[in-house]
Structures are given as structure tokens and as C-alpha cells.
Amino acid sequence: MAIKLKKSKKIRAFCYRLFAVGAFFVTVASGVMGKDALSAFLEQGPKLLYGKFYYLPEYETFMDGIYNQALAGYSTAYDADSYSLTEFDADKFATQNRDALYQQIEKEGGSIVYSVRKIAEDTGSGNISFPIFAESDGHLLLPENIRPCYYWDGPNGVEHNYIHNATDNITDGAGYRVLANGERFSPDIEALENIRLIIGVRTDVLSGTLLRMSRTAVSYQIFLSVFFTGLILCCIFGLLSIFSRKAAEEAKRSYSVFTGKVPVEFKLICIALAGFLFYYYRKYLFFSGGAAQHGAYAALWIFFPTGCLFYLLWMDLKYNEEKVFVNSLPARMYRFFREYVLSRPWYRRAMAIQVCTLLSALVFLIVGLLLLYIEGTSSAVILGNVLHVLKIRQFLRISGILLIVLSVLLLFMCFRLKKFIRDMKTITARLSEMQEGICNAPLTLPAHSLLKGAAEDLNRLEDGIEKAVETKNRSNKLRVELLTNVSHDLKTPLTSIINYADLLCEEELPQTAADYAFALKGKAYRLKSMVQDVFDLSKAASGNLPVEKHRLDLVKLIRQTLADMDERIQAGTLTFKVTAFAEPVMIEADGEKLYRIFQNLFVNALQYSLENSRVHIQVSTENGYALAKVKNTSKWELDFDTQEILERFVRADASRTTEGSGLGLSIAQSFAETCGGALTVETDADMFIASVRFPLAQESSEAAAALAVPVQELSDKATDKDPEA
């Protein structure tokens, strides 16, 4: 249960960051695309969230202009410079403003209603057909579908402004009214006292400028609501992310492992889907002219999954880096074809290139001839005028000629490549013969061959190798003969020394002389063992070591070897432990040589193992091989090279204070290879491990046991060769 909770915590921490990024994208996108809405929000306040056009700043400015135009048309007496206008000029100025007012109201299509009543003349004008002023006190009588904007009550000298904060926009601060074109004027006070003016807006019928404002108000509402919603979500998920940083890091690593297994095609499909959604909703995101787009709400929230997708892809690239593109169909196909091509021989690959070159040449030739044919057919003549204008005939002719020339060049390259492959195959065949030791006549290639020089170098290399091999063989032969002759020559005087030492030990001598004679006998026998080792090693190196393979039980041979060495083992402090199968492990090998191999390994363990430790001998089978491992704990630090210890005259005791010639492991390795097996050495801390591997016998264990050579005979032969063992 604890593991599940921990996993859910990591998932939540990762989702917090994912949703925070998505909300951040929504906030930024709605803020950038709705910058006008944010500007209006800073000016007008939260009332823009209602989506009503009469809260827009441009609505106030627009209605200010209409109101001032109405005042200029019905009550103007002075201009901006405060001097009196002539009767003609005043009437002309008023008439122009009344005409402009009528045109603007007509353009709005009934959205703006107004009424002007001259009390002294008892006349009125406007587009309101119902009574609008009360006879008793002159208050307004407006239905609910009309929203008043400005009202001038002349008899009472009261100006009513129903638009918030719009009074300062009507005048320029010096008492002058400002028209839409920027012209200033002062109304006639006497004229104002004799009129009642009302301007309102029908909220049920909108057209023209007010309709565009209504759509803009709805757009502002959408952008602002999405902006503040995204901002709130971003803050919430951001705070949650701060308190789950540790779990998020573990979740990111787990996510990177998961996405590393997702094909890159799936990721590209997700990116393409996001791009399609943006393309589909593009008209809702970028609007102009104040036109409200109701689909912008859904379009803006597309940025939420887009931000989440961006975060997922970024985390994938951050942790997986170039491995992102490894798990893809093209990469898999490339690896498949690469492995397939590399698994083929080189000449097959070269032939594939030759075939591709030939096919390309044929395709270019056919296409070139086809273009020349089309250029000369009647269809080209029928379209002669168009072809002549567009220069298509010349293009077809030049393209066809170039393709034919290219095909001829490719055919020539294909011909040369065929000869190159043939010559290269001849050289590689000669290299294979050289590897197998086959020497033939010098290699000759045609004089124009690209590999002529390589063939001559190969001939010289072959001559040099033959001379080097001959020199090495002669040197090895002389060295082996020297070792053999020296070993043989040493045996005669060494035998006499051993015999005389034996006789001295049998005589009654003073104690000091007897000790000298006994020491002389021991050193003589050790020298005899070393000479025999050198002699056997020289024969194994020269290939003159006789090998008689028999089927024998590896486990029984090991146990017999330990039994023969029991006296020496008991004299020490080590414990030998054998772990083997109950049934026989049959192999084919020279029993005498195999006995000598394990004898040398056990002597090596007795000589170099830590006192009072165990020597483990494990016999097992694996993959058709019998494997015997001898493991012992060294008394010294194993700081040598495992390959170096198998060299001749190399000992683990670098000071050479212990007995031994340094040939034991080298002889064991040579004997194992001569018998068809292998001996390897490895170390594990202070553990020294020698492994002997031989192929299992093909016959059944019962038949092999019946034909097996008695181990006792093998041990007797080996003991005769090494009396001290």
C-alpha cells in the first residue's frame, strides 16, 4: 500500500507542474491576444466582465460626440475663440451639425434614439414616437429597452449624465464642448434654456457602430474571463508544485523512461493535432475591427493542452536528448537494413550498389528518351504557342539530353564497379589463403585495374610474411633443440648426482655431514623436476608432445589426483572441498597430461594459499563443455596481470623466496591446449580462480565409463615422472 501511495504522490506532483504550464500558456495567450481588453479593464474596472457594450471606453467617447453634436446643432452662439458669430455663420454651423447628427443616427439603424423639444416654439424633432417628457415636472418617460445616455433639462438648467466618468470627456476643461472632429464651441445659454434634449440607446436593437461595440464587449469578456481563470489556475498549481519538488523529480525520471519507449511518430501526431486545432480556430484568435468572436473562448483554452504537450515534449528532450528519435519507424527501418546489409558479405553489398547504379542508369535513359519523344510529338506542336512562350520545348530537349548523358556515365561507372568488385574479390580470396597458410603463385591483375598497386603490395607482403615465418620457425626450432639437448645432457650427470646423494644418505656420517647430504639430495630432486618441466614444456611448444586421447571421467580423475596428493595435503593447513555431479562427467583427453594439469594446480594452491583456508574445486557442465574450477584464497595481494602469470618462469611470489620454477601454470596451459581444452586464470579480490574447460564426450555416460582408462594407471605414470609430487 505504501508503494501505491508513493506512486500516486509522484503522479500528482507531475500533474501539478503539467497543469501549471498549461494554465501559464492560457494566461499568456489570452493576455497577448486580448491586450486591448486588459487595457480597457485597467481603465474601466471589473464591470467589463459583464460583457456589456455600454461599459466600454469607446462607447463613452462615441456617445459624447453625438451629444455634443446635438448641442451644437440646436444651441450654438459662440465659437471656440468666444467672439460672436454672424447670424448666417451660426445658422450654417448649426445646420451642418444637425445634418451630421441625422446621418450618424441613420447609419446606426435605429440603435440610437433622441428627442429635441423647443419649449418656446412648442416644436420638437427626433426618432421617438411616444411621449418622453412628463408634462407635470418634465421627468423622463423611457421604456426599459432604452438606456439613457444624456439628458438636458432646459427649463431647470440641469444636465444629466448617465455614463460613468464621461462628464470630463464632454468638455476640454475650459468650458468648451468638443466635437468628434476636434472642433470646439460654446453653446448659447438662452437657447439651452428653451430646449429639452434626450439621447439614449436601444439595447434590444443594435446595428452599425454599437453592434460592433457589443461584439467587442463580448470578446473582452471572453479574453478577461479566460485570462483571470488561467492566472488563478497557474497560481494554484504553481504553489502545489513548490511543495512537491522531490516527488516531481522522481516522477520526471519515471516519465522519461516511459516516453523513451513511445514512438516518435505518436509524438508528431500529437504536435500535428495541436497545429490543426490552431489552424481551425485561427479566425477566433486574431480578430480585428472589434468583431466579437464567440468561438474565441474554446480557442483560447486550446492553449491549455498545447502547454501541457509542450511541457511533456520538453521533459522528453531534456532527459532523453537524442534518444527521442531512436524509437521511430525510420530509425528502426534504418537499423534493420543496416544490420541486414552488414550481415551480408562485402561483395554482396557491392553488387547491390552496382545493381542500384544500373537501375538508375536505365531509369534516366528511359526518362530522357521519353522527354525527347514528347518534345517532338504533335501534342507539343498543338501547344506550340504556349510552349514557345514558356520555353518548355527547350527545357524538355535539354533535360532529355542531360538525362541520357547521365545514364551513359552511370553505365560506365557500373562497368568499372563490376571490374573493381572482381579484382577486390580476387585480393580478398588471396588474403583468406594467406590466413590459412596457403601460398600460391604471385597475384597478377590487369595493368588498367584500380587495384594493381594493392596486388603488388600484397605480393610483397606475402613474401615478407613467408620470410618472417621461416625465420621465426628456425629460431623456435633452434631454441627448442637447445632446450631439449640441454635438458637431455643434464639428465646424465643429474642422475649420477642423485644416485651419489642417495648413497651418501645411506652411509653413517656425522650429523653435520648427514644434514648436508640430505639437503643435497633434496636440491638434486628439485633440479631434476625443473629439468623435466623444461623438457616437457619444450616438447609441448614444438608440437612434439605425444598425445593419446581416451574417454575418462573428469570427476574421478580429480578425486584420484587429490588422493595421490593426500599425504602432502595433510601435511599442510588447507582443506580441499570438491563440489561435483554424482554422475560421471565424461571427456576425451590424454589422462596423463590431464593428471599433470590438476597436479600442478593443486601444488600451486598448496604453495600460495592462505593458511587454514579452503580450496574449492567445482566441476560442472555448460553449453556442451565440462568445466572444472580451482579456487583458493591467496596469502599475498593479487596485483599481477592474469595473462602474465601464465607466462614461463613467472611466479606470484615476486621475491622468489618459495620453491618452484614458475613453469607450473605454463605447463598446465600448454597441456590443456594440446589435449583440446583450455585453461584460463582470473582473480576476484584475493580469490585466485583457475578454470579448465574440455568438450564433453559425445557418447553416453554408460558407454564412456566402460571405455574409460583407469585413473590409477594414469596417476602411476604421472608419479613416475615427478617423484616429489
Side-chain angles (χ1 to χ4, degrees), residues 40 60 76 119 142 147 154 164 176 179 188 198 266 285 289 305 320 386 391 454 460 463-464 504 578 597 619 652 717:
E60 299 177 0
T76 300
I119 300 175
L142 292 177
R147 183 180 182 85
H164 181 64
Y176 292 102
L179 295 175
D188 184 2
I198 177 67
F266 178 78
L285 295 174
N320 293 325
V386 179
K391 306 295 181 182
R460 288 191 291 269
D463 294 338
L504 283 174
V578 180
I597 291 171
V619 182
K717 293 180 182 180

Side-chain angles (χ1 to χ4, degrees), residues 556-591:
K556 187 180 294 185
L557 184 139
I558 291 175
R559 293 186 184 278
Q560 184 63 48
T561 306
L562 290 173
D564 293 342
M565 299 179 61
D566 185 67
E567 183 178 352
R568 187 170 180 178
I569 293 173
Q570 294 299 330
T573 61
L574 301 180
T575 302
F576 283 75
K577 183 177 180 181
V578 180
T579 304
F581 294 105
E583 63 274 7
V585 179
M586 307 306 298
I587 62 173
E588 291 185 358
D590 189 322

Side-chain angles (χ1 to χ4, degrees), residues 549-562 578-592 594-595 598 619-621 626-628 694-697 699-712 714-715:
K549 289 188 178 182
H550 301 280
R551 291 180 177 84
L552 51 88
D553 183 4
L554 180 60
V555 179
K556 187 180 294 185
L557 184 139
I558 291 175
R559 293 186 184 278
Q560 184 63 48
T561 306
L562 290 173
V578 180
T579 304
F581 294 105
E583 63 274 7
V585 179
M586 307 306 298
I587 62 173
E588 291 185 358
D590 189 322
E592 181 182 350
L594 194 60
Y595 183 91
F598 286 104
V619 182
S620 60
T621 59
L627 180 63
F694 277 92
L696 290 171
E699 296 184 6
S700 62
S701 59
E702 293 81 2
L707 297 175
V709 176
V711 179
Q712 182 63 42
L714 301 177
S715 62

